Amino acid sequence: MEQLQTSIDSIFNAHIGKNEPGAALLVAYDGQMIIGKGFGLRDLEGGKPITKSTNLRMGSVSKQFTALTVLKLVDEDKLSLNDSVYTLFPFETFKDGTTIEQLINHTSGEADAEEAFFTEWDSTKIAENKDVLHWYSTKNRTMTKPGEKYQYNNGIYEFIPSIVEKISGKDFAEFAKENVFTKAGMEKTNFFNLAKPIHIEERAFCYQKDSLGNWSKVDGHFLNGLLGAGGVYTSVNDYFDYDLALRSNSIFSKETHEVIFKPSSKTNTTQSDGAYYAMGWGVTDSSASHTGGWFGTNTWTKRYLDKPLTIAIFMNRNTLFDSGLIKKTDSLVVNYIENYR
């Protein structure tokens, strides 16, 4: 264990300076947090370090929690994954029978509202989910026949909260807090809407290097009011409790838990997100994983399905995917598990 800790510290410290934005690392095995620690700073101005209780922005790792809000409604028999979206929102774009499951597994065939908002939206205003709902309501946004093609779609994940709100009668962020985060033991975890900001305890601010090579805070993007594709802030501590809840099937009924990692659509990638897509996870026979990237944040989580091992790296900087940290950390940990546990 000491050798593993030393090796992990070495590769992270080689990439992250002590006075730079950094990362939080979780390694959980067989119900224990083997490693939970931070590197670098969560707040450059205040010189505050990242720890295992620091809440960092998750980027697209948020999608698994958005999927769980839908599964909560499925668990309560208020919704079926096979339900037609058109019955809830009779928009022309959904008239071909797009299902709830196709929204989640990226086979809806719809255009990506978020992609359009980068050029179409007034950047002096913060976009919210109601604006995404309106965008899909105004004209037919269908690109391909539902179920025909896998196309990763952030905009559709920002439409899903409107479904949750319509059926539950509750604000999406509040519904997620009550029915997903709290149920999973994630007491400090929240969806964060820049248009209606809440206090995030021990928050890590997001940073990118500017043209002069200096770190600049980038938390004010006009699309940071959109929830679903991103927007979750969580910590190593809370994610560990979430992992325990997933492994003990304690959030929903056992039958609903079995759906979470069940392959739902064939992806067009063989990268770390998996060969199939499930409920907010890329899945293979042996693992479920997902990456996240947004302005000033990179995230990655991998949950092994053939062993009780989960690894997660959360960054408040956008340098994870070209650093080699994912592959090196995964290799070191798996070698340790296979040889010493």
Side-chain angles (χ1 to χ4, degrees):
M1 186 62 186
E2 184 178 346
Q3 183 178 349
L4 175 64
Q5 290 269 14
T6 300
S7 297
I8 291 291
D9 288 349
S10 177
I11 62 172
F12 273 80
N13 289 330
H15 183 69
I16 299 169
K18 63 180 181 178
N19 294 317
E20 296 178 353
L25 170 66
L26 168 68
V27 178
Y29 182 75
D30 200 19
Q32 295 182 321
M33 186 186 296
I34 294 177
I35 298 175
K37 65 184 306 181
F39 303 85
L41 302 178
R42 66 178 177 89
D43 180 356
L44 298 191
E45 292 179 1
K48 298 175 182 178
I50 294 174
T51 72
K52 63 181 182 178
S53 60
T54 297
N55 287 297
L56 296 96
R57 191 177 183 93
M58 289 295 101
S60 287
V61 168
S62 305
K63 288 183 172 67
Q64 58 198 247
F65 299 109
T66 301
L68 291 183
T69 63
V70 175
L71 289 182
K72 172 62 177 177
L73 298 172
V74 171
D75 200 51
E76 295 180 339
D77 293 324
K78 295 179 179 178
L79 186 70
S80 167
L81 291 176
N82 294 320
D83 284 349
S84 169
V85 179
Y86 190 78
T87 62
L88 295 169
F89 293 99
F91 303 158
E92 182 184 359
T93 196
F94 298 126
K95 67 181 180 180
D96 291 336
T98 307
T99 67
I100 303 296
E101 185 168 12
Q102 287 167 344
L103 299 182
I104 296 173
N105 69 19
H106 299 293
T107 62
S108 69
E110 299 293 330
D112 188 333
E114 181 184 283
E115 186 175 294
F117 274 35
F118 272 101
T119 56
E120 296 178 12
W121 186 256
D122 179 358
S123 62
T124 65
K125 302 176 182 178
I126 300 171
E128 296 185 75
N129 293 82
K130 63 183 180 181
D131 302 310
V132 169
L133 176 67
H134 177 74
W135 190 83
Y136 283 110
S137 75
T138 55
K139 61 183 291 187
N140 194 333
R141 306 291 182 177
T142 302
M143 305 293 288
T144 59
K145 183 179 178 181
E148 183 176 80
K149 181 181 179 181
Y150 174 90
Q151 185 64 52
Y152 193 83
N153 194 319
N154 284 318
I156 282 295
Y157 261 80
E158 291 152 358
F159 170 77
I160 291 173
S162 294
I163 295 176
V164 174
E165 290 184 341
K166 182 162 188 174
I167 295 177
S168 69
K170 295 184 178 180
D171 173 79
F172 174 72
E174 293 177 2
F175 182 86
K177 182 72 172 177
E178 178 183 345
N179 294 281
V180 176
F181 300 142
T182 299
K183 293 285 186 181
M186 306 175 79
E187 295 296 333
K188 306 296 184 182
T189 299
N190 293 278
F191 270 101
F192 180 83
N193 176 357
L194 186 61
K196 302 171 185 175
I198 60 173
H199 175 66
I200 301 292
E201 292 187 27
E202 202 175 321
R203 176 181 173 181
F205 294 102
C206 300
Y207 296 91
Q208 289 183 178
K209 279 189 176 180
D210 61 22
S211 59
L212 299 177
N214 299 313
W215 291 104
S216 297
K217 194 181 292 185
V218 288
D219 289 87
H221 196 276
F222 65 92
L223 296 184
N224 281 2
L226 298 178
L227 310 181
V232 168
Y233 275 80
T234 195
S235 66
V236 160
N237 280 342
D238 271 14
Y239 203 86
F240 172 67
D241 286 335
Y242 164 60
D243 183 59
L244 293 179
L246 286 179
R247 293 190 182 276
S248 62
N249 299 327
S250 63
I251 305 175
F252 312 124
S253 65
K254 188 175 185 298
E255 291 74 19
T256 300
H257 269 276
E258 290 175 350
V259 176
I260 297 174
F261 301 105
K262 182 180 178 180
S264 180
S265 64
K266 182 76 168 67
T267 72
N268 51 17
T269 178
T270 57
Q271 297 176 357
S272 61
D273 279 357
Y276 291 87
Y277 207 83
M279 297 288 108
W281 293 85
V283 294
T284 66
D285 291 339
S286 60
S287 68
S289 62
H290 213 289
T291 57
W294 191 241
F295 297 94
T297 185
N298 280 165
T299 56
W300 169 78
T301 184
K302 184 173 185 178
R303 183 182 189 275
Y304 280 87
L305 302 177
D306 59 354
K307 58 178 70 76
L309 172 65
T310 295
I311 309 170
I313 303 173
F314 307 146
M315 275 191 167
N316 64 333
R317 54 193 279 166
N318 59 342
T319 62
L320 177 59
F321 305 128
D322 58 2
S323 66
L325 284 175
I326 292 175
K327 185 175 181 179
K328 291 175 183 177
T329 302
D330 192 34
S331 178
L332 283 168
V333 171
V334 170
N335 180 67
Y336 169 75
I337 295 298
E338 291 178 346
N339 290 285
Y340 302 107
R341 298 293 289 184

